Structure formats: C-alpha cells, structure tokens
Amino acid sequence: MNFIDGFVAAVPTENKEKYIAHAKDTALLFKAYGALSIVECWGEDVPDGEKTSFPMAVQCEENETVVFSWVTWPSKAVRDEGWEGMMQDERMKEFMMPFDGSRLIYGGFQTIVDE
C-alpha cells in the first residue's frame, strides 16, 4: 500500500496565489523524487472547534486560511529516499514558503484502507 505525507498549515489569505505557485513548483520536485501525486486543498468550510480543530492546531489567525495537503508515495522507502534527495537538491533552497512554517503540522502515514 502507498505511504502518505500529510500537511496542515495556516496561509495568509492574501498569499493564495503565491501559495498556489509554490505548491506547483514543489509538486514538480516531489514527483522528480518519486511521489505519485500531490494534492493541495484551500480551506472553505473549516470550522473552529471548542477543544480542537484544524484552525486551532495551526493557530490560524483571522487573516489566514487553513490549507490541507498530502503527497502520495509508492512506499515509505521511496518517501525516505525522496525526502533525502530533495533536502540535498539546490532547488529546495530557492523555495520561499508563503506562510509561517513553524506552525506547519506534518506526518507520514501508512495507507490501511484505499477503496
């Protein structure tokens, strides 16, 4: 089964076009290092919670929008090699994140159901 890297971030709403450009550029890099697909989603119906929520998790401010994305890899081994290669790739140093990366939530997940 595939391996998924998942991400949640708070992006300044005014940076939506910059974020889209950034996402398209990084998608090319992910694919060059073995990713099968990259999905980026701009929040439209992301409610605040009382105890926890996407906005609370990334400390989303009033002028920001929650972004949810994932990268699909054929395996964890390919993902690990891919990330290692990307971190050494000079193009990664050129990418400026149009959001506060310190509030980015991410993790790797083994697919257990895919129907």
Side-chain angles (χ1 to χ4, degrees), residues 41-81:
C41 306
W42 191 260
E44 282 194 25
D45 186 13
V46 187
D48 288 322
E50 289 185 28
K51 291 188 178 186
T52 190
S53 66
F54 282 116
M56 291 170 71
V58 293
Q59 301 171 354
C60 192
E61 297 175 3
E62 194 172 307
N63 64 337
E64 295 178 319
T65 300
V66 173
V67 172
F68 175 61
S69 53
W70 65 92
V71 178
T72 303
W73 301 91
S75 68
K76 185 177 185 301
V78 172
R79 177 265 211 159
D80 291 347
E81 281 185 37

Side-chain angles (χ1 to χ4, degrees), residues 12-61:
T13 304
E14 67 182 19
N15 286 353
K16 183 177 182 179
E17 294 306 316
K18 288 179 184 177
Y19 184 83
I20 292 170
H22 168 77
K24 287 180 178 182
D25 288 343
T26 55
L28 295 173
L29 196 58
F30 275 111
K31 285 190 171 186
Y33 283 95
L36 299 174
S37 66
I38 295 86
V39 177
E40 296 279 353
C41 306
W42 191 260
E44 282 194 25
D45 186 13
V46 187
D48 288 322
E50 289 185 28
K51 291 188 178 186
T52 190
S53 66
F54 282 116
M56 291 170 71
V58 293
Q59 301 171 354
C60 192
E61 297 175 3

